[in-house]
Amino acid sequence: MGLGSEVITGSYDISIVLLSILIAVIASYNVINIIGIARQTVGRAQGRWIFASSIMMGIGIWTTHFIAIEAFMLPLPVQYDIFLTLTSL
């Protein structure tokens, strides 16, 4: 094997993985409730509720993935660029 072919082994913190799953469930539940509200409205109000639910679902998915990434522990320091992280949101 040549240079740079070392294997870096990581591990997961199961409590953070479970937190990620919990956030996904909560976000989904809230989106379902908002869609129920949207179904009871008409016109622009309905569109606003649907838009709100899509934003909430997107943030819920992003948060779930970001927290799951945090659950992966590597034996070396990991840093995030705040600008890129917020841009990805």
Side-chain angles (χ1 to χ4, degrees):
M1 300 205 155
L3 290 174
S5 60
E6 298 84 19
V7 175
I8 298 175
T9 304
S11 62
Y12 286 94
D13 182 337
I14 191 66
S15 62
I16 298 175
V17 172
L18 294 174
L19 175 64
S20 174
I21 293 169
L22 178 65
I23 288 174
V25 169
I26 291 169
S28 299
Y29 177 80
N30 285 325
V31 168
I32 289 170
N33 283 334
I34 290 175
I35 291 297
I37 293 169
R39 291 185 66 177
Q40 297 172 2
T41 60
V42 293
R44 288 187 177 195
Q46 185 177 44
R48 288 185 192 118
W49 281 113
I50 292 171
F51 179 75
S53 69
S54 67
I55 295 297
M56 183 177 288
M57 192 74 241
I59 291 172
I61 291 169
W62 183 90
T63 304
T64 297
H65 287 117
F66 189 79
I67 291 174
I69 289 169
E70 287 294 308
F72 187 61
M73 305 295 178
L74 292 170
L76 50 100
V78 176
Q79 295 180 329
Y80 297 98
D81 180 292
I82 189 71
F83 177 74
L84 290 176
T85 302
L86 292 176
T87 301
S88 75
L89 175 60

